[in-house]
């Protein structure tokens, strides 16, 4: 996770203009969401295999929240932000 934050800081320092930075921030946020999706998905699967149903359900809820956040970011990027960045 720290590596993702460091990468974002480097990328933002290289980009000029708010439109490009907005697109880069969304891309970085989606990397974090994907990282979280992998982590919660794996943990939920392991909990299920260990028979820890309550834990599995909680982890699955978190997994779904991360997927929802990723979908919101995708809508933002595709709806406006990426087009503004391409026009910049
Ligand atoms: Fe998240």
């Amino acid at each position: 996770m720290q590596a993702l934050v460091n990468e974002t800081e480097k990328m933002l320092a290289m980009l000029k203009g708010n439109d490009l930075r907005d697109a880069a921030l969304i891309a970085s946020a989606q990397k974090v969401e994907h990282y979280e999706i992998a982590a919660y998905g794996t943990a939920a699967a392991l909990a299920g295999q260990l028979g820890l149903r309550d834990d599995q359900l909680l982890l699955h809820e978190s997994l779904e929240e991360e997927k929802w956040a990723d979908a919101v970011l995708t809508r933002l990027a595709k709806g406006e932000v990426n087009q503004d960045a391409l026009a910049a």
Side-chain angles (χ1 to χ4, degrees):
M1 191 65 79
Q2 188 60 52
L4 292 174
V5 172
N6 291 344
E7 180 183 280
T8 300
E9 288 173 349
K10 282 183 191 173
M11 184 170 53
L12 290 178
M14 292 188 296
L15 296 174
K16 305 289 182 215
N18 289 336
D19 290 331
L20 287 174
R21 287 194 183 116
D22 287 348
L25 277 173
I26 289 176
S28 293
Q30 287 196 283
K31 288 180 189 176
V32 171
E33 298 304 337
H34 295 174
Y35 180 91
E36 292 171 322
I37 288 167
Y40 282 122
T42 300
L46 289 171
Q49 289 174 319
L50 291 170
L52 303 171
R53 298 291 173 225
D54 290 344
D55 296 299
Q56 182 186 25
L57 285 174
L58 285 173
L59 289 162
H60 196 262
E61 278 181 29
S62 295
L63 174 62
E64 292 305 313
E65 289 172 6
E66 303 304 343
K67 288 179 180 178
W68 176 83
D70 184 50
V72 169
L73 290 166
T74 296
R75 271 201 309 276
L76 260 177
K78 286 186 172 178
E80 184 176 346
V81 174
N82 286 355
Q83 286 299 322
D84 290 347
L86 290 170

